[in-house]
Amino acid sequence: MEEWYKMAVYIAKRLALIPLVLLGVVTIVFLLTHLIPGSAVRVLLGPHTTEAQIQRVTEEYGLDKPLTHQYGIYLWKVLHGDLGKSIITGRSVIADLGTYLPSTIELISAALIIITITGITLGVVAAVYRNGIFDFLARGLTVGGVAMPQFWLGLMVILIFFYWLGILPGGGKVDPSIGAPYHITGLYILDSLLTGNWAALESTLLHLVLPALTLAFTNLSTTTRMARTSMLKVLREDYIAMARAYGFGAFKINYVYALKNALTPVISVLGLITGSLLGGAFLVETVFDWPGIGLYATRSITNVDYAPVIGVALLTSFTYVLINIIVDITYTLIDPRIKY
């Protein structure tokens, strides 16, 4: 009971820091976005607009006021749950995020599943067969993942699997001839399953393969290296040597006793990688035209649309902090020796 109380206090303290983090994010991103040259109003109205029209729209969105005044107004709106309105889409940022976020969730979830299964498997097997052929292959793969830029890898897989081989789609989320499934959650895979739209399910999964693999491959190395290092450390522990002395089988020692204790640092890395995936999604979604918040933010930046950029930054920051809290809680579930 005492341990649960300590956990609750710890979580409360971490949650109390979230408003301060978000305030810092709002301030920094607000100032940076307003330093970008250009005008979203001119982008919206086009090259043939008049100065009177530009002035009218500028006043409508409050962009004619001093920067400090704009910051104060925006901060007041954020405190009341209003993230502003996109000049380009004409919709509220919250509505836009609700439209684009499910696609990013699908992409990151798929990439995280690939990273978790592949990274832990490669790292553990490489540690068990240390200095063997599989170990060198795994290490070579991780080095390649670190060295390859995401945008370059994305372009290469599109060139190979879409342009040359023609076996996978090169962009988008679903085949236009099939169309999106009936909207329930915004998650195409889940909505397809709920409505029994198997054609949309197949098309969505095929469109998901290349962006998910691209996002996963460039983040795979950290998990693999951590799993290998942690597993090697555990295999040197005295209780593992004792288990071998008692004649336990190699499979039980490696994949039952050692693996469980080797997972704790890996979970920490997976939490950090999830935050990294949010950042990596910006490039991957842009390359593959995947309609998520990364593509939404990229288009907003190129069009000098301030409110969506700040809204995406707030969402990703909040998600990153929340993920780290969940990781801390998961620690104690896996390793009871960890106390708060």
Side-chain angles (χ1 to χ4, degrees), residues 4-221:
W4 285 105
Y5 173 75
K6 291 180 179 178
M7 180 188 293
V9 171
Y10 174 80
I11 294 172
K13 289 180 178 179
R14 293 293 296 272
L15 290 175
L17 292 174
I18 292 180
L20 294 176
V21 173
L22 297 183
L23 176 62
V25 170
V26 169
T27 304
I28 294 172
V29 178
F30 184 89
L31 293 175
L32 289 177
T33 52
H34 282 74
L35 291 175
I36 299 174
S39 169
V41 176
R42 292 186 180 275
V43 174
L44 172 67
L45 298 179
H48 304 295
T49 186
T50 64
E51 289 298 325
Q53 291 174 317
I54 293 174
Q55 182 63 26
R56 179 180 59 80
V57 176
T58 300
E59 292 175 357
E60 179 185 343
Y61 283 91
L63 299 176
D64 58 324
K65 296 179 174 62
L67 187 60
T68 53
H69 193 180
Q70 292 183 46
Y71 174 73
I73 293 174
Y74 184 78
L75 202 58
W76 177 257
K77 288 182 178 180
V78 170
L79 291 174
H80 289 79
D82 182 5
L83 297 181
K85 183 179 178 181
S86 170
I87 297 176
I88 303 302
T89 66
R91 304 171 63 204
S92 71
V93 173
I94 291 179
D96 282 344
L97 291 177
T99 300
Y100 290 102
L101 181 59
S103 296
T104 299
I105 292 175
E106 286 182 316
L107 176 59
I108 290 178
S109 298
L112 195 59
I113 290 171
I114 295 171
I115 290 171
T116 303
I117 296 174
T118 308
I120 292 177
T121 302
L122 286 175
V124 169
V125 175
V128 171
Y129 300 100
R130 184 184 181 188
N131 295 328
I133 296 177
F134 190 87
D135 185 18
F136 286 109
L137 289 175
R139 282 190 280 177
L141 186 65
T142 58
V143 171
V146 172
M148 274 185 208
Q150 283 181 333
F151 70 90
W152 181 85
L153 180 60
L155 293 173
M156 289 302 101
V157 296
I158 290 174
L159 179 65
I160 295 171
F161 293 100
F162 171 68
Y163 185 75
W164 287 349
L165 300 179
I167 58 177
L168 288 171
K173 189 175 180 181
V174 69
D175 194 321
S177 63
I178 297 174
Y182 179 77
H183 181 88
I184 300 176
T185 64
L187 303 168
Y188 279 21
I189 295 175
L190 182 58
D191 289 350
S192 299
L193 291 171
L194 293 175
T195 58
N197 191 340
W198 309 121
L201 176 62
E202 180 184 2
S203 179
T204 303
L205 290 174
L206 288 174
H207 281 78
L208 182 60
V209 171
L210 292 183
L213 286 175
T214 302
L215 188 58
F217 184 75
T218 51
N219 290 277
L220 183 64
S221 58

Side-chain angles (χ1 to χ4, degrees), residues 252-274:
K252 189 172 185 178
I253 292 173
N254 295 328
Y255 302 108
V256 178
Y257 297 139
L259 179 58
K260 181 179 179 181
N261 292 319
L263 284 179
T264 304
V266 178
I267 290 174
S268 174
V269 167
L270 287 174
L272 296 173
I273 284 177
T274 305

Side-chain angles (χ1 to χ4, degrees), residues 306-323:
Y306 307 127
V309 178
I310 302 173
V312 171
L314 278 173
L315 178 63
T316 53
S317 301
F318 176 78
T319 304
Y320 192 80
V321 174
L322 192 63
I323 288 170

